[in-house]
Amino acid sequence: MRDHETQIQEAGATLAAIGLGDANYARLFREETGITFPLLIDEQRRAYTAADLRKGSLLHLFRGDNFAARKEAKAAGHRQHTLGSDPFQLGASFVFAPGNRDVFAHVSETFGDNASVVTVLAALADRGGTGEKKKGP
Amino acid sequence: MNLLPVDFDGITPPMSPDTLSAALAPIELPDPDGQEVRLGTLWEAGPVVLVFLRHYG
């Protein structure tokens, strides 16, 4: 998502991220990637718990879609940085708007399951919140 | 015997937030420099794409 920050800004939004791990992990990540958007640290998993985010399992590592996602990320020039405190934690992407309005949600169901920037930009274009609202069973 | 919590004023029962963003809004998290940020400030003035990272990468 960080490669598309300019498009997100052009759509009238900002980008921010939350990670597990500690300040050293986060500082290193910020330095290595050169990101300038807010990066917050959730060592106690308060936000992850409030958002009810899932965890993967060893079986997920060997799924074909995970392999394909890793291959795609590598081809795009990304490399996996430090895993942080919980390698099985799964991520999510949300779009929130003023007034505590939930516009978009994509909660990862496995390791390679990330929101596409196309769907995020579509949700930003359609602030009514009728874009993808993906949340697992 | 008083069965009510001591901080319950008897008028306004605590309400649970009705959106995820409302639930997340009061949570304060530090940035890598130790500056505390209340999550709700991220979408106070405009929409935010908030990504929960699986790992720093």
Side-chain angles (χ1 to χ4, degrees):
Chain A
M1 199 64 72
R2 66 177 187 266
D3 294 339
H4 303 281
E5 186 180 8
T6 304
Q7 288 169 276
I8 290 167
Q9 288 171 338
E10 285 170 357
T14 56
L15 179 61
I18 300 175
L20 299 170
D22 60 20
N24 288 329
Y25 278 131
R27 266 195 297 272
L28 188 65
F29 175 66
R30 191 175 61 178
E31 286 165 13
E32 286 185 354
T33 58
I35 61 167
T36 55
F37 54 80
L39 173 64
L40 304 176
I41 303 160
D42 190 11
E43 278 191 88
Q44 272 74 49
R45 302 174 43 84
R46 286 187 297 147
Y48 281 77
T49 302
D52 197 21
L53 301 190
R54 299 161 172 216
K55 290 193 178 194
S57 71
L58 275 175
L59 288 176
H60 285 159
L61 284 174
F62 300 105
R63 282 172 50 150
D65 51 357
N66 181 47
F67 178 74
R70 288 173 65 89
K71 193 175 173 184
E72 188 181 328
K74 193 173 178 183
H78 296 292
R79 71 180 182 83
Q80 184 166 296
H81 294 251
T82 310
L83 277 174
S85 59
D86 186 350
F88 292 106
Q89 178 65 57
L90 297 176
S93 299
F94 299 100
V95 175
F96 297 139
N100 289 332
R101 204 155 52 82
D102 298 355
V103 175
F104 173 89
H106 180 111
V107 176
S108 298
E109 293 177 8
T110 185
F111 296 122
D113 177 26
N114 299 312
S116 80
V117 70
V118 173
T119 54
V120 170
L121 291 172
L124 286 171
D126 174 19
R127 302 271 173 82
T130 54
E132 176 188 13
K133 277 217 172 192
K134 182 174 181 180
K135 178 126 183 170
Chain B
M1 187 191 311
N2 182 6
L3 297 175
L4 294 174
V6 290
D7 58 349
F8 180 60
D9 63 10
I11 300 168
T12 312
M15 294 180 66
S16 57
D18 57 359
T19 62
L20 175 58
S21 49
L24 291 171
I27 296 175
E28 290 191 6
L29 298 176
D31 69 12
D33 303 314
Q35 184 80 35
E36 292 283 333
V37 176
R38 190 173 60 80
L39 294 185
T41 62
L42 297 173
W43 55 89
E44 236 168 36
V48 66
V49 178
L50 182 61
V51 179
F52 283 74
L53 301 171
R54 183 168 87 76
H55 51 72
Y56 290 116

